Amino acid sequence: MSTAKAARFAIGDRVRVLDLDKSGHVRIPAYVRGKCGKIVQYCGKYLNPEDLSIGKTSGPAFDLYRVEFTQASLWDEPRNQSQDRLIIEIYDHWLTAA
Amino acid sequence: MHNDHENHSHEDHDHQHEDHEALVVEDDAGNLESQIIIDALQDVLISKGLLTAPEVTKEIEKLESPGVHLGAKVVVKAWKDSEYKQRLLSNGKSAIQEIGVAVGEAQIVVVENTDTVHNLITCTLCSCYPRSILGQPPSWYISKAYRARAVREPRKVLSEFGLDLDEDIQLIVHDSNADMRYLVLPMAPDEAAQLDSHDLEALVTRDRLIGVSR
C-alpha cells in the first residue's frame, strides 16, 4: 500500500496540456491540447476513463484539476472578450508545468 | 439502415442550418433501430432469468423522475439562505443532498452568476449533464452544433438564445468533459425576500441553470 501522494499542482499554478498521442476513450479535447492555462480547482482522484473504457477498473486513480484558459488563447474569435474564460477538467497525466 | 434523403432533402428548407445529426434512426414504420436491439436484448435477459420486466420499468422511472424542479429547489434555497449558498458553492453535492435530493454524480460544481460574471455549461465530447437534479438534457444540448460552438463562440450562441451579454461581463464557459457536473446559480431577483419559495421556483428555468438564459 502506498501512502497518498500530494497533488503535483496547486491552485494558481501555470500548466500546459500535453498532446499525448492516445487513442480510445480520451476525455481531453483537441482544442486545449498544447495550450497553457491556470489551475483553479483540485477535484480529487478519479479513475482514468481511458482505462475504465476497456474494463480496467482497478486503477490507478489520477489527480483531476479544473484548468482555466483565456478564450483568446484558444480561439481566434473576435466576439470573445479579453476577460472571457473557459474552464475544463484535466487529469494529471495530461499536464506539465508551464 | 434507412437514411431517407428522398423524403427529407435539404432543399426543402428555406433557412440555413447545420447538417442534421441523427439522434435516432427509424424506419418508415417508425421502428427505432436501437429500440429493436434493446427489446431483443431485454427478451434474452428476461428469458434467462437475469432480469424482470418490473425491474426494467423501475430503472426507467428512476432515470426519468428527476427534473428541473429539483434544481430549482436548490437554487431557491440558496437565494433565501446565504449560509446554505456558501455550502452549495463550496461542495455542491453535499449541499444538494442536505435538502433530500439524491445525487448520483461524483460532484456537482455550482458556479455563480453575478452582476459581472456569467457562466455557461456545455459538454463538448458528449452529453454530460447534472441529471440527478435537472433530469435529461434538452436535444440541443447534445447537438454537435451547440457542443462545438458553445466553447468557440459562446457570445454568438447566447445571442441566438436571445441573450445579448454586455461586453463588460465576464463569460466563463465550463466544458463538462470528465467527472464533475455543473449547475449555474442564477442571480436572485431583487424581490427574493418578499416572494415565497413556490413563486421563486417558477422563475428558475432549465435554461438559466445551463446558462443559455441569465
Side-chain angles (χ1 to χ4, degrees):
Chain A
M1 291 288 112
S2 63
T3 51
K5 240 173 62 182
R8 235 182 353 141
F9 301 109
I11 290 171
D13 283 358
R14 299 283 307 169
V15 289
R16 187 164 55 83
V17 180
L18 297 170
D19 191 3
L20 302 176
D21 186 22
K22 291 191 129 182
S23 58
H25 191 59
V26 170
R27 299 297 303 181
I28 311 302
Y31 74 85
V32 290
R33 296 188 198 172
K35 304 291 184 180
C36 290
K38 186 177 81 177
I39 304 279
V40 291
Q41 189 182 345
Y42 174 69
C43 304
K45 278 181 182 294
Y46 288 89
L47 290 172
N48 183 1
E50 296 151 22
D51 295 334
L52 290 174
S53 66
I54 52 167
K56 196 178 156 206
T57 56
S58 55
F62 285 75
D63 289 317
L64 180 67
Y65 302 91
R66 293 179 69 221
V67 182
E68 180 189 271
F69 300 87
T70 65
Q71 284 283 31
S73 71
L74 299 176
W75 317 101
D76 183 18
E77 164 58 41
R79 284 183 75 160
N80 287 329
Q81 300 299 304
S82 59
Q83 76 276 16
D84 289 351
R85 299 289 184 267
L86 179 132
I87 302 178
I88 187 167
E89 297 155 43
I90 310 286
Y91 297 93
D92 182 81
H93 62 295
W94 280 86
L95 291 174
T96 187
Chain B
M1 184 185 292
H2 288 255
N3 197 349
D4 203 344
H5 280 282
E6 282 165 325
N7 293 336
H8 201 120
S9 88
H10 284 225
E11 285 71 38
D12 290 344
H13 299 286
D14 58 3
H15 59 275
Q16 289 265 315
H17 64 135
E18 305 289 332
D19 281 345
H20 289 280
E21 180 183 12
L23 296 174
V24 291
V25 179
E26 62 183 347
D27 68 13
D28 293 338
N31 295 307
L32 302 179
E33 186 182 75
S34 56
Q35 191 64 51
I36 295 166
I37 295 167
I38 287 164
D39 287 347
L41 179 63
Q42 187 174 327
D43 285 348
V44 171
L45 293 172
I46 289 173
S47 70
K48 287 190 174 294
L50 296 168
L51 206 63
T52 66
E55 281 173 341
V56 175
T57 306
K58 210 175 147 206
E59 284 304 310
I60 292 171
E61 275 170 12
K62 219 161 83 184
L63 202 68
E64 291 187 342
S65 63
V68 180
H69 61 284
L70 297 175
K73 197 172 143 186
V74 171
V75 164
V76 170
K77 171 83 173 155
W79 283 351
K80 287 204 160 275
D81 179 344
S82 61
E83 286 177 12
Y84 179 78
K85 180 174 138 181
Q86 290 315 314
R87 293 200 294 282
L88 183 68
L89 292 172
S90 62
N91 187 330
K93 181 172 180 166
S94 68
I96 293 165
Q97 285 172 329
E98 193 187 304
I99 60 167
V101 177
V103 179
E105 291 84 358
Q107 183 55 277
I108 306 280
V109 175
V110 179
V111 290
E112 185 184 16
N113 284 351
T114 67
D115 287 333
T116 55
V117 174
H118 183 79
N119 293 280
L120 177 67
I121 313 301
T122 186
C123 170
T124 50
L125 295 176
C126 51
S127 55
C128 296
Y129 192 71
R131 290 164 202 254
S132 292
I133 47 169
L134 297 188
Q136 302 304 307
S139 58
W140 55 258
Y141 184 86
I142 63 178
S143 71
K144 283 183 179 164
Y146 177 75
R147 288 157 45 198
R149 297 183 55 219
V151 287
R152 190 182 66 235
E153 46 178 22
R155 286 178 182 267
K156 189 146 183 280
V157 170
L158 289 182
S159 72
E160 289 170 22
F161 273 95
L163 172 58
D164 284 306
L165 203 63
D166 193 290
E167 286 191 352
D168 296 334
I169 291 176
Q170 181 180 42
L171 174 57
I172 306 175
V173 178
H174 304 267
D175 187 351
S176 166
N177 64 316
D179 292 279
M180 307 291 106
R181 298 293 177 268
Y182 297 87
L183 178 75
V184 175
L185 176 59
M187 280 188 291
D190 293 337
E191 66 275 24
Q194 288 85 51
L195 292 172
D196 69 23
S197 294
H198 184 76
D199 292 335
L200 286 170
E201 281 170 24
L203 302 174
V204 185
T205 61
R206 178 198 66 201
D207 287 2
R208 295 183 76 192
L209 301 178
I210 300 173
V212 293
S213 174
R214 187 156 160 83

